[in-house]
Amino acid sequence: MLLQIIYLIAISAEAMTGALSAGRRRMDLFGVVIIACVTALGGGSLRDIVLGHYPLGWVRHPEYLGYTIGAAIAATFLAKKLHYLRRTFLWLDALGLIAFTLIGCAVAREAGHQPAIVVIAGMLTGAFGGVLRDVLCNEIPLVFQRELYAVISLLTGVAYLLLLRMGVAENLSVLLCLGGGFALRLLAIRYEWEMPKFVYQ
Amino acid sequence: MLLQIIYLIAISAEAMTGALSAGRRRMDLFGVVIIACVTALGGGSLRDIVLGHYPLGWVRHPEYLGYTIGAAIAATFLAKKLHYLRRTFLWLDALGLIAFTLIGCAVAREAGHQPAIVVIAGMLTGAFGGVLRDVLCNEIPLVFQRELYAVISLLTGVAYLLLLRMGVAENLSVLLCLGGGFALRLLAIRYEWEMPKFVYQ
Amino acid sequence: MLLQIIYLIAISAEAMTGALSAGRRRMDLFGVVIIACVTALGGGSLRDIVLGHYPLGWVRHPEYLGYTIGAAIAATFLAKKLHYLRRTFLWLDALGLIAFTLIGCAVAREAGHQPAIVVIAGMLTGAFGGVLRDVLCNEIPLVFQRELYAVISLLTGVAYLLLLRMGVAENLSVLLCLGGGFALRLLAIRYEWEMPKFVYQ
């Protein structure tokens, strides 16, 4: 389906952003590939481990690893040109955030979890690949400090559940959330919307 | 029961210490909430994942997330006043350490694990929320460098198992360990007891 | 069997390298023991959690914890003399890398996983104890930046599967891979073979 195709685009895009992150830390090709896989597949893996939902996606479908490894290696060759594609990347990353979120919600819903857990499963899938990437790159996770990102994932999950509860069809709910979440993320980037910061000495 | 009430106090107190930690790293409200949840619920989650004990506590009881999120947000408002409550916090944190430890031991014991694993499950529950918090805040875990903390968790677990083996009733064992472990932790803070440091160049 | 004996030598050696790492960060005895356990047993634990393969090795055999804790404490006493044993350590670490890899592959194979997952399970077992150690010591994992290490683990896993598919007996395959992987690692150290680095600003 639509979500599946967007998922494959999204893991490739996330793998590329992970590879560039690794390159900024002067990692070797092995490190680049691992960071790319963790960025693209780590959020979903964390969700499945937390929910006890086995086997993990990439264990059942090792071809996902193929896409992320391929995208990571491609990124190292294209790195200089990717600079000009920065905007494209932000768009793909935004699309990936929302697609990952909706997939994560759907997985938790099918496993029969409560609404709060469904929303959290979506957020873990959407935003925590980047958290794991930053931990491995020895940085404070960007997601905890930057403009609205994980919060959009949470809002998308809540909207998705509300639409389903209102009787809207699954496919239409996915499309509406995909459009709405994506638009919200682009607006957050454009106008640099941020969560209030908490500074404590 | 008693342990359950102490548990709820403890996760709220741990969530607040986590939130203050996040504030020291200038995180936004989302980061604050995540670090608070990881500090309060991460140790128990790690224990359950290591033991394959599903569903995790907060997945079955999403209201625990409500308490920690509420406590974290309260901490951001009360931050300046919390400074005057520093001693109260150290006490609540000490109570939490011991309560988490005993709950972790009880969970592993009911699952039929060997004594060494029961003691480790207690220590993971008691001390590793803080380890995960420090990893996400990009620091060397305090627990590995500070005055006696995790070791008191280990000793409490050992005492708990010994009391049970000596035929002492479950409730009495919990009370004795709670009192003893709490007193030991306060003494460790008061007299700055430390483990010997290992320094290697 | 042979692999079992080598495994016990390897976890002791890995525990000692973990303890020295902790000593370089001025950790206390508790931190030393935890870092040693994570270095020696963390790779296998991560593999089992990712594959949903419970109970974890050391949960079933708590005596493994005894060996690693004993080795870690011994390392703190012998630290000054261990310096003269540096070469011995590199050899034991190389042996451990290959033994961990083969054990990890065997575990995943017996669980019926696909070839790509078997090879990855070997690499997680062989190389990710060190990754977890570096994350807890607040460093960018060495494995992502240093001379050939995890890649040798991957190659060993691939060779192991190829030999089995060619009909070579299990024991002979293990011995051949053990010898070949070990030699390859020593050559990589000797001639400082490295993966190409990807540097991106």
Side-chain angles (χ1 to χ4, degrees), chain A residues 97-153:
Chain A
L97 171 68
I98 309 301
F100 279 9
T101 298
L102 291 169
I103 289 168
C105 289
V107 166
R109 228 180 121 247
E110 273 159 36
H113 288 289
Q114 301 178 49
I117 303 303
V118 170
V119 171
I120 288 168
M123 192 266 290
L124 286 176
T125 316
F128 269 67
V131 170
L132 292 173
R133 174 199 64 209
D134 291 342
V135 166
L136 285 179
C137 287
N138 200 23
E139 293 191 347
I140 296 183
L142 264 180
V143 172
F144 299 164
Q145 300 184 311
R146 225 182 12 176
E147 83 276 19
L148 290 195
Y149 190 90
V151 170
I152 292 173
S153 168

Short mmCIF file of all heavy atoms in Angstrom, two decimals, chain A residues 97-153:
data_model
loop_
_atom_site.label_atom_id
_atom_site.label_comp_id
_atom_site.label_asym_id
_atom_site.label_seq_id
_atom_site.Cartn_x
_atom_site.Cartn_y
_atom_site.Cartn_z
N LEU A 97 9.10 10.88 9.15
CA LEU A 97 8.62 11.02 10.54
C LEU A 97 7.15 10.63 10.64
O LEU A 97 6.76 9.83 11.51
CB LEU A 97 8.81 12.48 11.00
CG LEU A 97 8.18 12.85 12.34
CD1 LEU A 97 8.89 12.15 13.48
CD2 LEU A 97 8.20 14.36 12.56
N ILE A 98 6.33 11.16 9.74
CA ILE A 98 4.89 10.90 9.81
C ILE A 98 4.58 9.45 9.42
O ILE A 98 3.77 8.77 10.09
CB ILE A 98 4.11 11.88 8.90
CG1 ILE A 98 4.53 13.34 9.20
CG2 ILE A 98 2.61 11.71 9.10
CD1 ILE A 98 4.30 13.78 10.61
N ALA A 99 5.24 8.96 8.36
CA ALA A 99 4.98 7.57 7.93
C ALA A 99 5.39 6.60 9.03
O ALA A 99 4.64 5.67 9.37
CB ALA A 99 5.75 7.27 6.64
N PHE A 100 6.57 6.79 9.61
CA PHE A 100 7.03 5.93 10.72
C PHE A 100 6.01 5.97 11.87
O PHE A 100 5.69 4.95 12.47
CB PHE A 100 8.38 6.41 11.25
CG PHE A 100 9.57 5.98 10.44
CD1 PHE A 100 9.42 5.35 9.22
CD2 PHE A 100 10.86 6.20 10.91
CE1 PHE A 100 10.52 4.96 8.47
CE2 PHE A 100 11.98 5.80 10.18
CZ PHE A 100 11.81 5.19 8.96
N THR A 101 5.55 7.17 12.18
CA THR A 101 4.60 7.33 13.29
C THR A 101 3.34 6.51 13.04
O THR A 101 2.88 5.76 13.91
CB THR A 101 4.23 8.81 13.44
OG1 THR A 101 5.41 9.55 13.76
CG2 THR A 101 3.20 9.01 14.54
N LEU A 102 2.77 6.65 11.83
CA LEU A 102 1.52 5.97 11.53
C LEU A 102 1.71 4.45 11.53
O LEU A 102 0.87 3.70 12.02
CB LEU A 102 0.96 6.46 10.20
CG LEU A 102 0.47 7.92 10.25
CD1 LEU A 102 0.17 8.43 8.85
CD2 LEU A 102 -0.76 8.03 11.15
N ILE A 103 2.87 4.00 10.99
CA ILE A 103 3.15 2.55 10.99
C ILE A 103 3.28 2.06 12.44
O ILE A 103 2.73 1.01 12.81
CB ILE A 103 4.43 2.26 10.19
CG1 ILE A 103 4.16 2.48 8.70
CG2 ILE A 103 4.92 0.84 10.45
CD1 ILE A 103 5.40 2.49 7.84
N GLY A 104 3.99 2.83 13.26
CA GLY A 104 4.16 2.43 14.66
C GLY A 104 2.83 2.35 15.40
O GLY A 104 2.59 1.41 16.17
N CYS A 105 1.95 3.34 15.15
CA CYS A 105 0.61 3.31 15.77
C CYS A 105 -0.16 2.08 15.31
O CYS A 105 -0.80 1.39 16.11
CB CYS A 105 -0.17 4.57 15.39
SG CYS A 105 0.42 6.07 16.18
N ALA A 106 -0.09 1.80 14.00
CA ALA A 106 -0.86 0.68 13.45
C ALA A 106 -0.38 -0.64 14.08
O ALA A 106 -1.19 -1.50 14.44
CB ALA A 106 -0.72 0.64 11.93
N VAL A 107 0.94 -0.80 14.21
CA VAL A 107 1.50 -2.03 14.81
C VAL A 107 0.99 -2.21 16.23
O VAL A 107 0.55 -3.30 16.62
CB VAL A 107 3.04 -1.97 14.79
CG1 VAL A 107 3.64 -3.04 15.69
CG2 VAL A 107 3.56 -2.14 13.37
N ALA A 108 1.04 -1.14 17.02
CA ALA A 108 0.62 -1.26 18.43
C ALA A 108 -0.89 -1.48 18.54
O ALA A 108 -1.36 -2.19 19.43
CB ALA A 108 1.04 -0.01 19.20
N ARG A 109 -1.63 -0.86 17.61
CA ARG A 109 -3.08 -1.02 17.64
C ARG A 109 -3.47 -2.46 17.33
O ARG A 109 -4.33 -3.04 18.00
CB ARG A 109 -3.72 -0.08 16.60
CG ARG A 109 -4.89 0.71 17.17
CD ARG A 109 -5.46 1.62 16.12
NE ARG A 109 -6.85 1.29 15.92
CZ ARG A 109 -7.35 0.76 14.81
NH1 ARG A 109 -6.57 0.50 13.79
NH2 ARG A 109 -8.63 0.48 14.75
N GLU A 110 -2.81 -3.03 16.31
CA GLU A 110 -3.12 -4.41 15.94
C GLU A 110 -2.76 -5.38 17.08
O GLU A 110 -3.39 -6.42 17.24
CB GLU A 110 -2.37 -4.81 14.67
CG GLU A 110 -3.15 -4.44 13.42
CD GLU A 110 -2.24 -4.34 12.20
OE1 GLU A 110 -1.29 -5.13 12.10
OE2 GLU A 110 -2.48 -3.44 11.38
N ALA A 111 -1.74 -5.01 17.88
CA ALA A 111 -1.37 -5.87 19.00
C ALA A 111 -2.30 -5.65 20.20
O ALA A 111 -2.12 -6.27 21.25
CB ALA A 111 0.08 -5.60 19.40
N GLY A 112 -3.30 -4.76 20.05
CA GLY A 112 -4.32 -4.61 21.08
C GLY A 112 -3.94 -3.73 22.26
O GLY A 112 -4.51 -3.84 23.33
N HIS A 113 -2.96 -2.81 22.06
CA HIS A 113 -2.54 -1.97 23.17
C HIS A 113 -3.50 -0.80 23.39
O HIS A 113 -4.27 -0.43 22.50
CB HIS A 113 -1.12 -1.44 22.92
CG HIS A 113 -0.09 -2.50 23.07
ND1 HIS A 113 0.25 -3.05 24.29
CD2 HIS A 113 0.66 -3.17 22.15
CE1 HIS A 113 1.16 -3.98 24.11
NE2 HIS A 113 1.43 -4.08 22.83
N GLN A 114 -3.42 -0.22 24.58
CA GLN A 114 -4.28 0.90 24.93
C GLN A 114 -3.88 2.16 24.15
O GLN A 114 -2.75 2.28 23.69
CB GLN A 114 -4.16 1.18 26.43
CG GLN A 114 -4.56 -0.02 27.30
CD GLN A 114 -4.38 0.25 28.77
OE1 GLN A 114 -4.83 1.27 29.27
NE2 GLN A 114 -3.73 -0.66 29.48
N PRO A 115 -4.83 3.12 24.00
CA PRO A 115 -4.55 4.31 23.18
C PRO A 115 -3.26 5.03 23.54
O PRO A 115 -2.49 5.40 22.65
CB PRO A 115 -5.78 5.19 23.45
CG PRO A 115 -6.86 4.23 23.78
CD PRO A 115 -6.20 3.10 24.52
N ALA A 116 -2.99 5.23 24.84
CA ALA A 116 -1.77 5.96 25.21
C ALA A 116 -0.53 5.24 24.69
O ALA A 116 0.43 5.86 24.23
CB ALA A 116 -1.70 6.13 26.73
N ILE A 117 -0.55 3.91 24.77
CA ILE A 117 0.60 3.12 24.31
C ILE A 117 0.71 3.16 22.79
O ILE A 117 1.80 3.19 22.23
CB ILE A 117 0.48 1.67 24.83
CG1 ILE A 117 0.37 1.66 26.36
CG2 ILE A 117 1.64 0.81 24.37
CD1 ILE A 117 1.52 2.33 27.07
N VAL A 118 -0.44 3.18 22.10
CA VAL A 118 -0.43 3.28 20.64
C VAL A 118 0.25 4.57 20.20
O VAL A 118 1.11 4.58 19.31
CB VAL A 118 -1.88 3.23 20.08
CG1 VAL A 118 -1.91 3.58 18.60
CG2 VAL A 118 -2.48 1.84 20.31
N VAL A 119 -0.09 5.69 20.86
CA VAL A 119 0.50 6.98 20.51
C VAL A 119 2.00 6.96 20.81
O VAL A 119 2.82 7.45 20.01
CB VAL A 119 -0.21 8.11 21.29
CG1 VAL A 119 0.53 9.43 21.10
CG2 VAL A 119 -1.64 8.24 20.81
N ILE A 120 2.38 6.38 21.94
CA ILE A 120 3.81 6.32 22.29
C ILE A 120 4.57 5.42 21.31
O ILE A 120 5.69 5.73 20.91
CB ILE A 120 3.97 5.84 23.74
CG1 ILE A 120 3.53 6.96 24.67
CG2 ILE A 120 5.41 5.44 24.02
CD1 ILE A 120 3.37 6.52 26.10
N ALA A 121 3.94 4.32 20.91
CA ALA A 121 4.58 3.43 19.93
C ALA A 121 4.86 4.19 18.64
O ALA A 121 5.93 4.03 18.02
CB ALA A 121 3.70 2.22 19.67
N GLY A 122 3.92 5.04 18.22
CA GLY A 122 4.14 5.85 17.03
C GLY A 122 5.30 6.81 17.21
O GLY A 122 6.16 6.94 16.33
N MET A 123 5.36 7.43 18.37
CA MET A 123 6.42 8.41 18.62
C MET A 123 7.79 7.72 18.72
O MET A 123 8.79 8.24 18.22
CB MET A 123 6.09 9.17 19.91
CG MET A 123 6.93 10.39 20.17
SD MET A 123 8.32 9.96 21.22
CE MET A 123 7.48 9.65 22.77
N LEU A 124 7.86 6.55 19.38
CA LEU A 124 9.12 5.80 19.44
C LEU A 124 9.60 5.47 18.02
O LEU A 124 10.78 5.62 17.70
CB LEU A 124 8.94 4.50 20.23
CG LEU A 124 8.83 4.60 21.74
CD1 LEU A 124 8.56 3.22 22.35
CD2 LEU A 124 10.11 5.18 22.35
N THR A 125 8.65 5.01 17.18
CA THR A 125 9.02 4.64 15.81
C THR A 125 9.48 5.86 15.01
O THR A 125 10.45 5.79 14.26
CB THR A 125 7.80 4.00 15.09
OG1 THR A 125 7.17 3.09 15.97
CG2 THR A 125 8.23 3.29 13.83
N GLY A 126 8.78 6.98 15.18
CA GLY A 126 9.07 8.16 14.38
C GLY A 126 10.31 8.90 14.81
O GLY A 126 11.11 9.34 13.98
N ALA A 127 10.51 9.04 16.11
CA ALA A 127 11.53 9.98 16.58
C ALA A 127 12.74 9.33 17.24
O ALA A 127 13.76 10.00 17.43
CB ALA A 127 10.90 10.98 17.56
N PHE A 128 12.68 8.03 17.61
CA PHE A 128 13.76 7.49 18.42
C PHE A 128 14.90 6.85 17.63
O PHE A 128 15.95 6.54 18.21
CB PHE A 128 13.22 6.55 19.51
CG PHE A 128 12.94 7.31 20.78
CD1 PHE A 128 11.93 8.27 20.82
CD2 PHE A 128 13.72 7.13 21.91
CE1 PHE A 128 11.71 9.01 21.97
CE2 PHE A 128 13.51 7.86 23.05
CZ PHE A 128 12.49 8.81 23.09
N GLY A 129 14.72 6.65 16.31
CA GLY A 129 15.87 6.31 15.50
C GLY A 129 16.93 7.41 15.61
O GLY A 129 18.12 7.14 15.79
N GLY A 130 16.47 8.66 15.56
CA GLY A 130 17.38 9.79 15.69
C GLY A 130 17.99 9.89 17.08
O GLY A 130 19.14 10.30 17.23
N VAL A 131 17.23 9.49 18.11
CA VAL A 131 17.79 9.51 19.47
C VAL A 131 18.93 8.50 19.59
O VAL A 131 20.02 8.82 20.10
CB VAL A 131 16.69 9.20 20.53
CG1 VAL A 131 17.30 8.99 21.90
CG2 VAL A 131 15.67 10.33 20.56
N LEU A 132 18.71 7.28 19.08
CA LEU A 132 19.76 6.26 19.13
C LEU A 132 20.98 6.70 18.31
O LEU A 132 22.13 6.49 18.74
CB LEU A 132 19.22 4.92 18.61
CG LEU A 132 18.16 4.27 19.50
CD1 LEU A 132 17.56 3.04 18.81
CD2 LEU A 132 18.77 3.86 20.84
N ARG A 133 20.74 7.30 17.14
CA ARG A 133 21.85 7.82 16.32
C ARG A 133 22.70 8.81 17.13
O ARG A 133 23.92 8.72 17.18
CB ARG A 133 21.29 8.51 15.07
CG ARG A 133 22.35 9.22 14.22
CD ARG A 133 21.68 10.24 13.31
NE ARG A 133 21.04 11.28 14.11
CZ ARG A 133 19.96 11.97 13.75
NH1 ARG A 133 19.41 11.76 12.57
NH2 ARG A 133 19.45 12.90 14.55
N ASP A 134 22.02 9.73 17.84
CA ASP A 134 22.76 10.75 18.57
C ASP A 134 23.50 10.16 19.76
O ASP A 134 24.60 10.61 20.10
CB ASP A 134 21.81 11.87 19.01
CG ASP A 134 21.30 12.67 17.82
OD1 ASP A 134 21.92 12.59 16.74
OD2 ASP A 134 20.30 13.38 17.96
N VAL A 135 22.92 9.14 20.42
CA VAL A 135 23.62 8.49 21.53
C VAL A 135 24.89 7.83 21.02
O VAL A 135 25.96 7.96 21.61
CB VAL A 135 22.70 7.47 22.24
CG1 VAL A 135 23.50 6.55 23.15
CG2 VAL A 135 21.62 8.18 23.04
N LEU A 136 24.81 7.13 19.88
CA LEU A 136 25.99 6.46 19.33
C LEU A 136 27.01 7.46 18.81
O LEU A 136 28.21 7.19 18.79
CB LEU A 136 25.59 5.50 18.20
CG LEU A 136 24.94 4.20 18.64
CD1 LEU A 136 24.58 3.35 17.43
CD2 LEU A 136 25.86 3.40 19.56
N CYS A 137 26.56 8.65 18.37
CA CYS A 137 27.48 9.69 17.91
C CYS A 137 27.96 10.55 19.08
O CYS A 137 28.62 11.56 18.88
CB CYS A 137 26.83 10.56 16.84
SG CYS A 137 26.67 9.73 15.26
N ASN A 138 27.58 10.15 20.32
CA ASN A 138 28.03 10.84 21.51
C ASN A 138 27.58 12.30 21.57
O ASN A 138 28.37 13.20 21.80
CB ASN A 138 29.57 10.75 21.61
CG ASN A 138 30.08 11.00 23.01
OD1 ASN A 138 29.34 10.83 23.96
ND2 ASN A 138 31.32 11.42 23.13
N GLU A 139 26.27 12.48 21.37
CA GLU A 139 25.70 13.83 21.46
C GLU A 139 24.40 13.80 22.25
O GLU A 139 23.72 12.77 22.31
CB GLU A 139 25.37 14.34 20.06
CG GLU A 139 26.60 14.58 19.23
CD GLU A 139 26.26 15.33 17.97
OE1 GLU A 139 25.07 15.43 17.64
OE2 GLU A 139 27.20 15.79 17.33
N ILE A 140 24.02 14.94 22.81
CA ILE A 140 22.69 15.06 23.39
C ILE A 140 21.69 15.02 22.25
O ILE A 140 21.84 15.76 21.27
CB ILE A 140 22.55 16.39 24.17
CG1 ILE A 140 23.51 16.39 25.36
CG2 ILE A 140 21.11 16.58 24.63
CD1 ILE A 140 23.39 17.62 26.23
N PRO A 141 20.69 14.11 22.33
CA PRO A 141 19.76 13.97 21.21
C PRO A 141 19.14 15.29 20.78
O PRO A 141 18.58 16.03 21.59
CB PRO A 141 18.71 12.99 21.75
CG PRO A 141 19.47 12.15 22.72
CD PRO A 141 20.44 13.10 23.37
N LEU A 142 19.29 15.58 19.49
CA LEU A 142 18.72 16.79 18.88
C LEU A 142 17.24 16.93 19.17
O LEU A 142 16.73 18.02 19.41
CB LEU A 142 18.88 16.69 17.35
CG LEU A 142 20.09 17.37 16.73
CD1 LEU A 142 20.05 17.16 15.22
CD2 LEU A 142 20.06 18.86 17.05
N VAL A 143 16.55 15.80 19.13
CA VAL A 143 15.10 15.78 19.30
C VAL A 143 14.67 16.44 20.61
O VAL A 143 13.56 16.91 20.75
CB VAL A 143 14.59 14.33 19.25
CG1 VAL A 143 13.14 14.23 19.60
CG2 VAL A 143 14.85 13.73 17.88
N PHE A 144 15.59 16.42 21.61
CA PHE A 144 15.24 16.98 22.91
C PHE A 144 15.47 18.49 22.97
O PHE A 144 15.21 19.12 23.98
CB PHE A 144 16.07 16.33 24.03
CG PHE A 144 15.86 14.85 24.14
CD1 PHE A 144 16.76 14.07 24.87
CD2 PHE A 144 14.78 14.22 23.55
CE1 PHE A 144 16.58 12.70 24.98
CE2 PHE A 144 14.59 12.85 23.67
CZ PHE A 144 15.50 12.09 24.38
N GLN A 145 16.02 19.05 21.91
CA GLN A 145 16.41 20.46 21.99
C GLN A 145 15.92 21.31 20.81
O GLN A 145 15.93 22.52 20.88
CB GLN A 145 17.95 20.57 22.07
CG GLN A 145 18.53 19.85 23.28
CD GLN A 145 20.02 20.04 23.40
OE1 GLN A 145 20.76 19.87 22.45
NE2 GLN A 145 20.47 20.41 24.60
N ARG A 146 15.52 20.65 19.72
CA ARG A 146 15.26 21.38 18.49
C ARG A 146 13.81 21.79 18.32
O ARG A 146 12.98 21.54 19.18
CB ARG A 146 15.66 20.48 17.32
CG ARG A 146 16.44 21.20 16.26
CD ARG A 146 16.74 20.27 15.13
NE ARG A 146 15.97 19.02 15.22
CZ ARG A 146 16.02 18.09 14.28
NH1 ARG A 146 16.80 18.26 13.24
NH2 ARG A 146 15.31 16.99 14.38
N GLU A 147 13.50 22.33 17.18
CA GLU A 147 12.11 22.74 16.90
C GLU A 147 11.18 21.52 16.89
O GLU A 147 11.63 20.38 16.85
CB GLU A 147 12.05 23.51 15.58
CG GLU A 147 11.96 22.69 14.32
CD GLU A 147 13.32 22.24 13.82
OE1 GLU A 147 14.30 22.23 14.61
OE2 GLU A 147 13.42 21.87 12.66
N LEU A 148 9.89 21.76 16.93
CA LEU A 148 8.87 20.72 17.03
C LEU A 148 9.16 19.53 16.13
O LEU A 148 9.21 19.68 14.90
CB LEU A 148 7.51 21.29 16.65
CG LEU A 148 6.86 22.27 17.61
CD1 LEU A 148 5.40 22.43 17.26
CD2 LEU A 148 7.01 21.83 19.04
N TYR A 149 9.33 18.39 16.69
CA TYR A 149 9.59 17.20 15.87
C TYR A 149 8.81 16.03 16.47
O TYR A 149 7.81 15.59 15.91
CB TYR A 149 11.10 16.93 15.85
CG TYR A 149 11.55 15.88 14.88
CD1 TYR A 149 11.89 16.22 13.58
CD2 TYR A 149 11.65 14.55 15.26
CE1 TYR A 149 12.30 15.26 12.66
CE2 TYR A 149 12.05 13.59 14.37
CZ TYR A 149 12.38 13.94 13.08
OH TYR A 149 12.79 12.98 12.19
N ALA A 150 9.26 15.58 17.65
CA ALA A 150 8.58 14.45 18.27
C ALA A 150 7.15 14.80 18.66
O ALA A 150 6.26 13.95 18.64
CB ALA A 150 9.37 13.98 19.50
N VAL A 151 6.94 16.08 18.98
CA VAL A 151 5.60 16.49 19.38
C VAL A 151 4.63 16.36 18.20
O VAL A 151 3.46 15.99 18.38
CB VAL A 151 5.63 17.93 19.92
CG1 VAL A 151 4.23 18.47 20.10
CG2 VAL A 151 6.39 17.97 21.23
N ILE A 152 5.13 16.63 16.98
CA ILE A 152 4.29 16.46 15.80
C ILE A 152 3.95 14.99 15.61
O ILE A 152 2.85 14.62 15.21
CB ILE A 152 4.99 17.06 14.56
CG1 ILE A 152 5.05 18.58 14.73
CG2 ILE A 152 4.29 16.65 13.27
CD1 ILE A 152 5.85 19.29 13.68
N SER A 153 4.91 14.14 15.94
CA SER A 153 4.66 12.71 15.89
C SER A 153 3.55 12.33 16.87
O SER A 153 2.63 11.58 16.52
CB SER A 153 5.97 11.97 16.22
OG SER A 153 5.72 10.61 16.45
#
